[in-house]
Amino acid sequence: MDELLLRELTPAVIGVLVHRGVDFATAEDAVQEALIQAALSWPDQQPADPKGWLVTVAWRKFLDAHRSEAARRDREQRLEAEPAPGPTEHADDTLQLYFLCAHPSLTPASAVALTLRAVGGLTTKQIAQAYLVPEATMAQRISRAKRTVSSVRFDQTGDVATVLRVLYLVFNEGYSGDIDLAAEAIRLTRQVAAMTDHEEVAGLLALMLLHHARRSARTRADGSLVPLAEQDRSLWDTRMIAEGVDILQAALARDRLGEFQAQAAIAALHADAQQAAETDWVQIVEWYDELVRITESPVARLNRAVAVGEADGARAGLAALAGLDPTLPRYAAVEAYLHERAGDPATAAQRYAEAAQAASSLPERDHLTRQAARLNAQLRG
């Protein structure tokens, strides 16, 4: 695939869609989808009319997205029409609403989903992605939770663990850049920390601070993603890192390890390395072992495979992927990275293109598409 040709054609294809009445941002998204499809198809046979091919595919992607968005809005409007739970006198107290939505009559999973939707401002689709379930399944879960709490009094509040789970997911959505919720999640977690000396509250606050400290280095001026290994670490907020490390060390000293403390320890090891090459990957693998033991999370196992690949070599990382569900979010991206490190650029390019197709955000799709194009150009050269 000719990456230079694609760059030259992109503005013209966007212009065609805009001329057909598509707004610029939507046209740009549709063309990005077409570029992903090109990365998958063109290495085998480049079309005789590349521009016409891109216009046709981008237009189809726009129509598919338009129909999907219309259906999503209809579902969201039906959910919004249902009465919101909770008394109005607490509407101006966000943290109190978090606790109230975590009502004892709900399962923890349903309480988290309801709070994210009713208070956190996340869409059903975003919550479904966080839980690794279909959007329709999450819509039903939220609807059932609303019906459950519609007939109960909110004189009992949920537990801290459920509220922490909500804050963690809200922070992750804000950190991804889709909506700016990260700072609000940190603010609320500080309030919870002021209410209790629970070590996992401290662990979550430390984790948020350590990740948020890197935010200014995560994207370039054009909005494209900067991988952790390539980030300008002089842009990291050292004061925020120091605060996060101090909070984490105090929590770990209590010797009651939990999920958020383990994740914060991993983030702290990344923050401790002044250069990417100085990262203590062996110790990071050990912390991932603890995290997997605590959570049995497939996402933690996926991230552990990356760490194993860095500590023990790409082949070891690929072996660590064995047994994991290939449909996990970012599985293809991890596999692509490890195949490239293992000296298999052809497989890596294919998997990067597939990962781009499944990416949940435009910057991530663009980054993965560029990786696929880069490797395909090397293979042709």
Side-chain angles (χ1 to χ4, degrees):
M1 183 177 67
D2 190 334
E3 185 177 2
L4 180 60
L5 175 63
L6 288 178
R7 289 181 178 177
E8 292 175 347
L9 290 176
T10 294
V13 178
I14 292 175
V16 171
L17 266 64
V18 170
H19 182 71
R20 293 183 181 182
V22 182
D23 69 84
F24 184 84
T26 304
E28 194 174 38
D29 288 348
V31 173
Q32 285 291 333
E33 293 284 353
L35 294 176
I36 293 171
Q37 192 63 46
L40 289 169
S41 306
W42 288 16
D44 298 326
Q45 183 176 3
Q46 183 167 314
D49 179 10
K51 179 181 176 182
W53 188 96
L54 286 170
V55 169
T56 299
V57 174
W59 181 249
R60 289 173 181 169
K61 295 292 185 182
F62 161 71
L63 293 177
D64 290 344
H66 180 73
R67 296 187 188 104
S68 176
E69 178 64 15
R72 184 196 67 77
R73 285 198 303 268
D74 181 64
R75 289 192 297 270
E76 296 289 347
Q77 287 168 2
R78 289 200 300 270
L79 284 173
E80 288 294 338
E82 299 180 22
T88 58
E89 59 265 29
H90 293 292
D92 62 343
D93 190 334
T94 304
L95 187 58
Q96 183 67 7
L97 276 175
Y98 271 67
F99 276 95
L100 291 174
C101 284
H103 194 272
S105 64
L106 297 173
T107 65
S110 294
V112 170
L114 176 61
T115 312
L116 289 170
R117 185 72 189 92
V119 187
L122 276 64
T123 65
T124 303
K125 181 178 181 180
Q126 289 169 323
I127 302 169
Q129 290 172 344
Y131 270 88
L132 310 181
V133 299
E135 184 179 353
T137 300
M138 184 54 65
Q140 293 173 356
R141 183 179 299 176
I142 294 172
S143 183
R144 284 195 300 269
K146 287 186 175 183
R147 286 196 298 269
T148 298
V149 300
S150 64
S151 60
V152 300
R153 294 182 58 191
F154 280 84
D155 54 1
Q156 290 180 287
T157 58
D159 65 357
V160 170
T162 301
V163 174
L164 291 184
R165 176 61 51 188
V166 175
L167 291 168
Y168 173 68
L169 293 175
V170 170
F171 176 82
N172 283 342
E173 275 300 332
Y175 191 63
S176 74
D178 293 332
I179 42 181
D180 189 12
L181 291 171
E184 175 67 0
I186 291 174
R187 184 184 71 83
L188 294 173
T189 305
R190 287 189 187 278
Q191 290 186 21
V192 180
M195 296 164 48
T196 175
D197 63 351
H198 195 288
E199 59 277 355
E200 271 295 81
V201 177
L204 178 59
L205 180 56
L207 174 63
M208 289 179 174
L209 293 171
L210 289 164
H211 277 297
H212 205 56
R214 302 200 301 257
R215 187 164 190 172
S216 62
R218 292 183 70 243
T219 55
R220 299 181 179 89
D222 62 0
S224 60
L225 293 181
V226 182
L228 177 61
E230 301 173 18
Q231 288 178 15
D232 180 355
R233 302 190 175 207
S234 68
L235 298 177
W236 290 2
D237 189 328
T238 55
R239 292 181 62 183
M240 193 176 292
I241 290 173
E243 181 187 5
V245 169
D246 287 345
I247 293 172
L248 173 63
Q249 289 177 339
L252 292 175
R254 302 175 66 176
D255 199 24
R256 291 200 291 268
L257 184 64
E259 170 187 358
F260 297 127
Q261 294 171 76
Q263 289 192 55
I266 293 167
L269 285 167
H270 282 297
D272 187 54
Q274 294 185 0
Q275 303 292 332
E278 299 173 4
T279 305
D280 189 344
W281 287 106
V282 173
Q283 194 172 168
I284 287 177
V285 171
E286 292 174 355
W287 276 110
Y288 270 120
D289 289 339
E290 292 290 344
L291 185 60
V292 169
R293 178 185 62 79
I294 294 168
T295 66
E296 299 183 354
S297 165
V299 175
R301 292 182 185 275
L302 184 65
N303 292 332
R304 178 185 178 276
V306 177
V308 170
E310 298 290 350
D312 301 325
R315 293 296 176 188
L318 288 168
L321 284 178
L324 292 180
D325 185 353
T327 64
L328 277 172
R330 297 187 172 87
Y331 179 99
V334 169
E335 190 177 21
Y337 174 75
L338 291 172
H339 273 294
E340 181 180 359
R341 292 288 303 277
D344 185 0
T347 301
Q350 177 70 17
R351 297 301 280 149
Y352 272 131
E354 293 169 1
Q357 200 166 30
S360 59
S361 71
L362 181 59
E364 184 178 0
R365 288 201 300 271
D366 182 63
H367 172 71
L368 293 168
T369 301
R370 289 177 184 275
Q371 297 299 324
R374 173 179 57 81
L375 290 178
N376 281 322
Q378 292 177 7
L379 289 168
R380 289 195 306 275

